[in-house]
């Protein structure tokens, strides 16, 4: 094999090929420290042409590539395995002016969500997707993994923001489709195919995104309900009556207890309740009255508190958003991200403790999530050496209830062994045919999404 | 070759294999009578299992298939060419109960839009896509062509309604993904890949669609503006201020004159204006005041009339909706469906008359469309024997302005010669690789979307 590092230095400059283990380290382990591997080097191109040259060089040398954005993924999809070239896209940070006529913007794959949000808001617009990792997560990675977050109810996932992209195929060919046409029926939608493909079909270098109106008036309600069924009843009422609804988050008594103890928060209500729903509405004018009317009419509401000011809203959001931090403080959790059809949600939540206890005695699951999509983040504490059995038990329950083993995090390396729970043999064969059509030599992200054959 | 008709009779019953030319005729010509061909027979399966058996039989015999839904397409994509088996899906008309919890429904490919609308409305919901061919257009065809229509501004195209589907691949394998999960990141999105693939990758047999709230209160404004730029200024204001905006349609003075003469309609305003925008808002409560406020504030408005009652709304919609009928009454038009980025729209509209006149002296283009998507329906009257030159000239103009040669109608057979205007060589190669991966022997819809090789 020729010295690929030397070739890569010629493409991106010597300062952007990192071979020293100390320099590679930050790229070789994900931020949760659950996934780690070894890259033969890290290469940091600055534009699409350099990415294409890097991919061509690796393809010619038969060296596989792991593609990485902000390294904020939760399933190890951007972490190398055994000696790949790690292609980091963070230097692709060009950000074009907001196209106000179209409400769209074109951004380099390495632009962080936070930078994009600031850019959009300066033009009186906003990004439809928001998530906690915004300061590091890059838009390229968010498209490649079809990121979700707290606003999916209102604006959809990352793929729904996408009106075009630019990508480098496994042979170094560049596909460019950035005109941002809202309606374009000229053959297979390559843009949608690459969204959520986790870097296994192409390297996304630029994305064209629709923006949404910046809504200055927000109101948040924290609502106590008698359990999952009550949460669903409230959701149904909110969805049909609140045109401004932008988030509906679900959590349970055990999670709230943990959050309260961790953050020394006061109890939200005089009494304790089995479950809680946080609703957020966003509009041009104050949506508080609309929420109050709904709460007054909805039988599922056991108690509720509403905040229209920023401090009050943040106080209510903290009960939901501090879950991750409070759980991590209590131990190293097995983290799963699943969804089921809404009619299956209460049954799944009821079955989880038994299923977890059966394989990991003494372990306990804390559950919270995005109720509109039936999307639960299942965090199991105290699983000890039974992490794999817990994962297996929970994912099998989800599959029995016609759910998905990965609702918003993707497959990555972590979920590959369980992919067949969510995908039929016929579907897996179709996925493999697509992979082979785009990347016949398996250069791009081997071991991610599909098993290496 | 074995007698394929005999095999097909064994699958669907003798009454559903039509060989007699008189019986085939209605399937062999599209409703516009612009596209016609010959099928060796028409086969009408009643469910997915029969479709799979038909596809397997045709694949085994090496007989290509043309897939047809309601035969309301505008680009000849569902019309046979030379002796294919015509696979008609209109008998796949099962309609499951509306899933009110999820606001979704599963429908057989042969269910008409009109039936689906009635079904959804009976449950207090509605279908996000609406179009004029609703009484015959089938949901399978609408997904296969990613149909658009008048509500794309609010709810997106058919692909945006789609949460899952069932389809038969070229080898007879059935893919079933109908759980309707709102968020599911377990590999390449086959559902989105098949949407808009025009029957060339698989035969869609069932679809799972999200439904939208049924909005009882509507208001329509017909607004006179000074031209395309004025229309865009009005659109921008409406989009940012009217959360209930659900349609924004554009037409011009020459179209309005034709419509008025054809339908004996009175003038909408005391004076004539260069262009007109129809805005519709839909909400739970009357949006009339919201529209009136916008119109009062927007400098682009030259004159305006607003209707909140059903008769008044229909009267205003007639100025826009009668365009197709009035144009057809005036002659046989060359019909093109294009879009460009909004910044290119005024330039394109200005250039069109000259470009048409250069290749077809005396011809004239009537233009109308969906302004939010930059989507124009260009209808050229009097092109005579220069239809192909007119098509070529208009589509080249569109391509120069970074537009799409098919915004909502698809490629079909009609646009194949011009596909390279909208797709780069690299993209066409990627489309072909996908086609080959799914249908290596070219059994499904040969000659549609991609050239036969």
């Amino acid at each position: 094999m020729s010295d690929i590092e030397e070739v890569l230095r010629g493409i991106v400059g010597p300062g952007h090929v990192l071979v020293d283990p100390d320099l590679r380290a930050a790229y070789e382990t994900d931020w949760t420290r659950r996934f780690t591997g070894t890259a033969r080097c890290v290469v940091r191109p600055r534009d699409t042409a350099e990415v294409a040259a890097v991919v061509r060089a690796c393809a010619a040398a038969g060296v596989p590539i792991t593609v990485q954005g902000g390294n904020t993924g939760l399933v190890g999809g951007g972490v190398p395995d055994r000696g790949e070239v790690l292609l980091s896209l963070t230097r692709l940070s060009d950000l074009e002016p907001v196209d106000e006529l179209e409400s769209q913007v074109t951004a380099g794959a390495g632009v962080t969500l936070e930078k994009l949000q600031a850019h959009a808001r300066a033009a009186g617009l906003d990004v439809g997707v928001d998530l906690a990792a915004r300061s590091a997560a890059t838009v390229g990675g968010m498209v490649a993994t079809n990121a979700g977050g707290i606003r999916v109810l209102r604006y959809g996932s990352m793929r729904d923001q996408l009106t075009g992209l630019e990508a480098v195929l496994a042979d170094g060919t560049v596909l460019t489709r950035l005109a941002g046409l809202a309606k374009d029926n000229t053959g297979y939608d390559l843009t949608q195919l690459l969204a959520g493909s986790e870097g296994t079909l192409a390297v996304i270098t630029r994305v064209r995104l629709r923006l949404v109106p910046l809504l200055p008036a927000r109101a948040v309600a924290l609502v106590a309900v008698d359990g999952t069924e009550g949460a669903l009843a409230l959701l149904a009422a909110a969805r049909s009556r609140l045109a401004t609804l932008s988030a509906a988050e679900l959590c349970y008594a055990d999670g709230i207890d943990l959050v309260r103890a961790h953050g020394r928060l006061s109890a939200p209500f005089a009494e304790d309740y089995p479950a809680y729903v946080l609703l957020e509405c966003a509009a041009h004018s104050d949506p508080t009255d609309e929420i109050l009317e709904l709460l007054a009419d909805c039988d599922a509401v056991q108690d509720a508190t509403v905040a229209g000011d920023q401090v009050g809203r943040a106080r209510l959001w903290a009960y939901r958003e501090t879950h991750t931090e409070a759980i991590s403080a209590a131990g190293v959790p097995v983290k799963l991200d699943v969804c089921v059809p809404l009619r299956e949600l209460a049954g799944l939540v009821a079955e989880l403790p038994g299923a977890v206890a059966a394989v990991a005695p003494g372990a306990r699951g804390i559950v919270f999530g995005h109720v509109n999509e039936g999307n639960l983040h299942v965090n199991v504490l105290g699983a000890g050496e039974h992490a794999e059995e817990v994962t297996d038990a929970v994912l099998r329950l989800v599959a029995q209830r016609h759910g998905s083993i990965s609702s918003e995090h993707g497959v990555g390396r972590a979920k590959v062994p369980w992919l067949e729970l969510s995908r039929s043999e016929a579907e897996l064969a179709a996925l493999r045919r697509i992979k082979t059509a785009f990347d016949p030599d398996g250069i791009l992200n081997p071991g991610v999404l599909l098993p290496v054959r």
Side-chain angles (χ1 to χ4, degrees), chain A residues 216-280:
Chain A
R218 289 174 186 270
V220 172
L222 186 69
V223 186
V225 292
D226 63 4
T228 309
E229 295 289 5
L232 289 171
L234 173 63
L235 170 71
R239 215 167 44 185
S240 82
R241 288 191 33 188
L242 301 177
T244 60
L245 188 66
S246 53
E249 299 289 306
L250 172 64
C251 51
Y252 292 89
D254 53 357
I256 291 288
D257 288 346
L258 202 65
V259 160
R260 285 189 52 206
H262 174 72
R264 302 182 184 202
L265 302 179
S266 59
F269 302 108
E271 285 181 51
D272 290 340
Y273 294 93
Y276 303 85
V277 175
L278 182 144
L279 299 176
E280 182 171 80

Side-chain angles (χ1 to χ4, degrees), chain A residues 7 9 18 29 33 52 70 106 122 169 172 200 218 227 255 320 331 334 367 434 453:
Chain A
V7 178
R9 281 187 201 100
L18 316 179
T29 299
R33 309 214 158 263
T106 299
L169 298 182
T200 63
R218 289 174 186 270
R320 161 64 181 85
V334 177
V367 168
I434 295 170
R453 305 214 87 192

Side-chain angles (χ1 to χ4, degrees), chain A residues 23-369:
Chain A
L23 296 177
R24 294 193 329 245
Y27 298 86
E28 292 179 330
T29 299
D30 79 318
W31 70 279
T32 68
R33 309 214 158 263
R34 284 179 300 155
F35 305 99
T36 191
T38 308
R40 64 180 287 164
C41 66
V42 175
V43 57
R44 296 162 32 85
R46 69 170 176 193
D47 59 23
T48 302
E50 287 190 0
V51 172
V54 166
V55 171
R56 268 195 305 272
C58 290
V63 177
I65 295 169
T66 294
V67 191
Q68 188 178 95
N71 199 12
T72 60
L74 287 156
V75 288
V79 174
D81 185 21
R82 282 169 294 185
E84 294 89 351
V85 165
L86 193 143
L87 176 56
S88 168
L89 298 172
T90 53
R91 289 180 71 218
L92 275 72
S93 54
D94 278 359
L95 194 42
E96 292 186 11
V98 169
D99 182 338
E100 297 185 31
L101 193 59
E102 302 272 3
S103 283
Q104 294 187 7
V105 68
T106 299
V111 172
T112 63
L113 174 57
E114 195 169 74
K115 286 232 169 76
L116 186 70
Q117 286 173 330
H119 188 60
R121 288 171 190 168
L125 294 162
D126 204 355
V127 183
V129 165
D130 193 16
L131 39 78
R134 62 186 72 84
S135 68
T138 59
V139 294
M142 290 174 67
V143 168
T145 58
N146 185 29
I150 53 173
R151 290 194 191 161
V152 174
L153 182 154
R154 178 102 173 229
Y155 299 116
S157 296
M158 203 64 184
R159 71 164 69 253
D160 301 300
Q161 321 309 314
L162 196 62
T163 64
L165 51 70
E166 180 181 73
V168 175
L169 298 182
D171 63 0
T173 308
V174 179
L175 291 182
T176 304
R177 200 149 191 88
L178 291 168
L181 301 172
K183 245 184 346 186
D184 175 25
N185 277 336
T186 51
Y188 316 141
D189 193 333
L190 299 174
T191 301
Q192 284 298 322
L193 179 61
L194 296 189
S197 68
E198 305 189 21
T200 63
L201 300 180
V203 181
I204 295 169
T205 52
R206 282 196 288 173
V207 302
R208 177 88 176 167
L209 300 170
R210 73 166 173 130
L211 299 172
V212 299
L214 183 61
L215 298 173
R218 289 174 186 270
V220 172
L222 186 69
V223 186
V225 292
D226 63 4
T228 309
E229 295 289 5
L232 289 171
L234 173 63
L235 170 71
R239 215 167 44 185
S240 82
R241 288 191 33 188
L242 301 177
T244 60
L245 188 66
S246 53
E249 299 289 306
L250 172 64
C251 51
Y252 292 89
D254 53 357
I256 291 288
D257 288 346
L258 202 65
V259 160
R260 285 189 52 206
H262 174 72
R264 302 182 184 202
L265 302 179
S266 59
F269 302 108
E271 285 181 51
D272 290 340
Y273 294 93
Y276 303 85
V277 175
L278 182 144
L279 299 176
E280 182 171 80
C281 288
H284 284 293
S285 56
D286 188 0
T288 303
D289 288 351
E290 214 183 331
I291 293 191
L292 289 173
E293 279 170 36
L294 174 85
L295 296 175
D297 292 349
C298 180
D299 291 341
V301 176
Q302 304 294 312
D303 202 347
T305 173
V306 177
D309 64 301
Q310 194 167 0
V311 172
R313 295 198 314 261
R315 190 176 56 81
L316 296 183
W317 264 112
Y319 289 109
R320 161 64 181 85
E321 286 204 314
T322 328
H323 268 71
T324 302
E325 188 184 311
I327 290 166
S328 290
V332 179
V334 177
K335 293 173 91 74
L336 299 166
D337 158 53
V338 300
C339 71
V340 290
L342 294 181
R343 66 180 177 280
E344 305 283 353
L345 196 64
L348 177 67
V349 171
E351 276 181 340
L352 277 171
V356 167
V359 295
R364 62 176 178 138
I366 306 289
V367 168
F368 59 96

